[in-house]
Amino acid sequence: MDKYKQNLLELFAFLDSDGSGTVELFEMFVYGKNLNPSWTLQKCKELFAKFDADHDGHITQDEFLSFFASLHDSMPEKKFQKNLQDLVDVMNASKKKLTESTLFNTAGGHGKYKKDVSLRESVKKEAAELPEHRRKQVLSVFLKLDKDNSGYLDMFELFVFGRLLQGSSFGMKDCANLFREMDDNSDTKIEVDEFLAYVYRTTKKMSDAEFNERFQDYIEALS
């Protein structure tokens, strides 16, 4: 197994997209979707449970390496080598895509929301533009969505918001698109300002009566 350790450590670091030192369910799900478009949340949960030896909802580096050591012992060497190489190839392709996207955005590309300093300031400005009486309701929704009290929304928490917006037709592909639209600094987290700015952009022409009715419904649904 020692000859595979470096690849496994690189893979773990890539999966740990927020640098927390552990891999979370949503991080594994996003990676799995890149590997297999038919990947489902249920399949992800089942695989996650096999990695998560102490069932605390996080995969540590030791648990990650231990899982692959067991996998290595249970199959022929060539099969393990091929399976690991497939995982590494997806990782490298994703890194390349991310690098190209970053280069495009910082080199004056034509994306609607460039991930640069000026955009960050724009997001803060838009967040501040939300009237105080609306801001309180939006913050109440944000806090209810933030189930783990992390101070930001991950993809699964945002999925709940998407279902409130669009109902049962809202799927994981829709969620990924919404997540990209909100996540202005591409750090895989929706911060309070990003959430407020999104709501400001999408509701600024809405009457107070309609806004209040809609967000009160959201708050009730999340209670």
Side-chain angles (χ1 to χ4, degrees):
M1 270 295 290
D2 285 347
K3 64 181 178 180
Y4 302 118
K5 188 171 182 179
Q6 187 57 40
N7 277 341
L8 289 170
L9 290 176
E10 287 180 17
L11 185 58
F12 179 86
F14 180 73
L15 283 168
D16 179 21
S17 59
D18 62 0
S20 64
T22 58
V23 173
E24 313 303 326
L25 181 64
F26 85 94
E27 291 171 322
M28 179 177 278
F29 182 78
V30 171
Y31 177 80
K33 273 291 187 184
N34 288 331
L35 188 66
N36 177 8
S38 65
W39 181 241
T40 65
L41 180 56
Q42 184 57 41
K43 288 179 182 176
C44 184
K45 285 180 177 178
E46 290 169 3
L47 179 60
F48 192 91
K50 293 177 181 178
F51 276 92
D52 184 18
D54 62 3
H55 308 296
D56 67 348
H58 312 282
I59 298 171
T60 64
Q61 188 179 96
D62 285 344
E63 287 174 327
F64 190 78
L65 293 174
S66 178
F67 174 84
F68 277 100
S70 298
L71 197 63
H72 175 265
D73 293 342
S74 69
M75 66 174 59
E77 186 77 16
K78 285 186 178 179
K79 185 176 180 181
F80 178 85
Q81 194 170 10
K82 183 184 181 305
N83 288 345
L84 179 57
Q85 190 57 52
D86 287 344
L87 296 174
V88 170
D89 287 346
V90 170
M91 174 184 72
N92 289 334
S94 298
K95 281 181 177 179
K96 185 173 183 291
K97 186 176 179 182
L98 181 60
T99 300
E100 288 171 349
S101 174
T102 303
L103 287 172
F104 176 77
N105 283 320
T106 56
H110 300 292
K112 184 178 180 184
Y113 298 114
K114 289 164 60 180
K115 309 297 192 275
D116 57 13
V117 175
S118 63
L119 173 63
R120 190 65 192 153
E121 292 306 312
S122 173
V123 167
K124 285 183 177 294
K125 184 177 178 181
E126 285 180 328
E129 288 288 332
L130 199 63
E132 186 61 28
H133 64 284
R134 293 190 176 194
R135 187 184 184 89
K136 287 179 180 178
Q137 293 182 78
V138 178
L139 286 174
S140 181
V141 169
F142 182 92
L143 291 172
K144 288 179 182 296
L145 289 169
D146 181 21
K147 294 292 186 184
D148 59 0
N149 298 313
S150 62
Y152 60 83
L153 304 183
D154 61 37
M155 188 173 288
F156 291 113
E157 289 167 334
L158 188 65
F159 183 78
V160 175
F161 183 62
R163 280 290 175 100
L164 289 175
L165 293 177
Q166 295 183 26
S168 59
S169 64
F170 186 85
M172 285 307 298
K173 186 176 179 181
D174 301 309
C175 187
N177 291 334
L178 179 60
F179 199 93
R180 279 194 294 271
E181 185 176 352
M182 285 193 188
D183 186 19
D184 75 284
N185 60 359
S186 299
D187 64 352
T188 71
K189 297 184 264 192
I190 306 302
E191 298 164 9
V192 174
D193 278 350
E194 290 169 330
F195 191 76
L196 290 171
Y198 173 81
V199 172
Y200 169 74
R201 288 195 301 268
T202 56
T203 64
K204 58 185 175 181
K205 293 183 179 179
M206 190 181 291
S207 70
D208 279 343
E210 185 182 355
F211 183 95
N212 291 339
E213 182 180 359
R214 183 171 296 189
F215 273 82
Q216 281 305 309
D217 285 346
Y218 295 161
I219 292 166
E220 258 185 61
L222 292 167
S223 297

